[in-house]
C-alpha cells in the first residue's frame, strides 16, 4: 500500500536550516590556549547537555557549566571569557533551505522547526531573521522531551495539526531520522542542498 503524500514538513535547525562555521570555535580555542575541539567536546557531553535540552536548566546555566569545566586548564576569568566569545557566534541561515521553506509554505505546506534546543532558541530565531518564516517551532526545552523520543514527534505533529503519516521530517542525524520513522513520520537524512529535489518531489505542492 502506497504511503500518503506528506502535507507538512518538520525541519531540524542545526545542520539543516542553520549551519555553523567550525573555524569560529577553533579560533577561540587558539586565542585562549585551549585544546582543539574542547569547547564542543565539553558542551556536548550528554550529562551536561540533556538537562538544558529538556528545559531543566537554562542556557545560561549550561554555558556556565562549560566555563567551570575549563577553569582548571586556563583559570576562571579566561574560561568565562573564552566561552562568552564562543557563544557570541550564533551560526548562519542556509539561504537555499530558507528559500525552500518559503516555497513550500507558498505552496500550502505547513512547515515546522523541530529542534533539540535551549531556552535561547527564540532569541536566536530573532537574531537570524527567522521570525515569521515558520508555521510552528517545536523546541525540546519547551516540550520537556527531546528527539528522538516518540513523545517529541507526537508533540510536533500536534503542533503542525497534521497526522504523523502526513509529516515529512528532515534531519542530518541518523538517530533522529530513525526515531521519527518509529513515531510514524516519513523522514529524510539531510546531507546538503542536493536533497531539495527529493523533498520537493515528496511534498504535495
Amino acid at each position: 500500500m502506497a504511503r500518503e503524500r506528506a502535507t507538512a514538513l518538520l525541519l531540524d535547525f542545526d545542520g539543516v536550516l542553520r549551519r555553523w562555521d567550525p573555524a569560529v570555535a577553533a579560533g577561540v580555542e587558539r586565542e585562549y590556549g585551549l585544546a582543539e575541539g574542547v569547547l564542543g567536546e565539553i558542551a556536548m557531553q550528554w550529562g551536561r547537555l540533556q538537562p538544558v535540552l529538556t528545559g531543566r536548566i537554562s542556557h545560561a546555566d549550561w554555558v556556565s557549566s562549560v566555563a567551570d569545566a575549563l577553569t582548571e586548564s586556563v583559570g576562571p576569568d579566561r574560561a568565562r571569557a573564552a566561552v562568552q566569545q564562543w557563544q557570541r557566534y550564533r551560526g548562519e541561515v542556509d539561504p537555499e533551505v530558507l528559500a525552500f521553506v518559503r516555497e513550500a509554505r507558498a505552496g500550502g505546506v505547513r512547515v515546522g522547526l523541530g529542534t533539540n534546543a535551549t531556552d535561547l532558541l527564540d532569541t536566536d530565531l530573532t537574531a537570524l531573521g527567522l521570525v515569521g518564516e515558520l508555521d510552528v517551532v517545536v523546541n525540546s526545552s519547551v516540550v520537556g522531551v527531546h528527539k528522538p523520543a516518540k513523545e517529541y514527534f507526537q508533540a510536533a505533529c500536534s503542533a503542525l495539526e497534521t497526522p504523523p503519516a502526513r509529516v515529512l521530517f528532515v534531519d542530518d542525524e541518523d538517530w533522529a531520522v530513525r526515531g521519527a520513522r518509529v513515531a510514524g513520520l516519513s523522514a529524510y537524512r539531510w546531507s546538503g542542498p542536493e536533497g531539495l529535489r527529493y523533498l520537493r518531489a515528496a511534498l504535495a505542492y
Side-chain angles (χ1 to χ4, degrees):
M1 183 175 170
R3 187 179 181 94
E4 293 179 286
R5 202 169 179 85
T7 58
L9 180 67
L10 183 65
L11 286 179
D12 180 36
F13 194 25
D14 294 324
V16 180
L17 183 54
R18 174 167 66 177
R19 57 195 185 191
W20 299 90
D21 183 352
V24 174
V28 173
E29 288 161 351
R30 283 193 302 273
E31 181 178 342
Y32 286 87
L34 298 169
E36 183 180 351
V38 72
L39 286 168
E41 181 182 325
I42 291 174
M44 297 301 168
Q45 289 169 346
W46 190 238
R48 190 184 310 280
L49 185 62
Q50 200 263 356
V52 75
L53 294 184
T54 52
R56 298 208 307 275
I57 67 170
S58 68
H59 186 96
D61 288 340
W62 172 62
V63 168
S64 292
S65 79
V66 175
D68 289 344
L70 291 169
T71 294
E72 187 175 341
S73 57
V74 295
D77 292 342
R78 285 180 65 78
R80 281 193 298 272
V83 171
Q84 286 170 3
Q85 184 171 325
W86 169 58
Q87 282 289 300
R88 280 189 208 109
Y89 172 60
R90 304 311 303 162
E92 302 148 17
V93 175
D94 187 314
E96 290 184 78
V97 178
L98 179 57
F100 167 65
V101 167
R102 291 170 173 167
E103 173 191 316
R105 292 183 74 203
V109 174
R110 284 181 63 78
V111 180
L113 192 69
T115 180
N116 287 345
T118 75
D119 60 3
L120 197 68
L121 179 61
D122 288 347
T123 300
D124 281 352
L125 294 177
T126 299
L128 293 169
L130 291 172
V131 174
E133 296 285 3
L134 300 140
D135 294 298
V136 298
V137 175
V138 188
N139 180 351
S140 65
S141 66
V142 174
V143 175
V145 65
H146 55 74
K147 296 181 292 186
K150 187 174 184 179
E151 293 82 0
Y152 175 88
F153 289 108
Q154 289 171 337
C157 292
S158 177
L160 283 165
E161 300 177 343
T162 307
R166 303 300 292 271
V167 177
L168 173 59
F169 173 65
V170 182
D171 201 292
D172 62 325
E173 298 284 358
D174 272 333
W175 50 263
V177 168
R178 290 196 301 268
R181 289 173 179 160
V182 169
L185 292 72
S186 55
Y188 178 77
R189 167 73 186 278
W190 179 258
S191 59
E194 65 274 8
L196 291 175
R197 177 183 290 185
Y198 169 84
L199 297 180
R200 288 186 177 98
L203 290 166
Y205 76 90

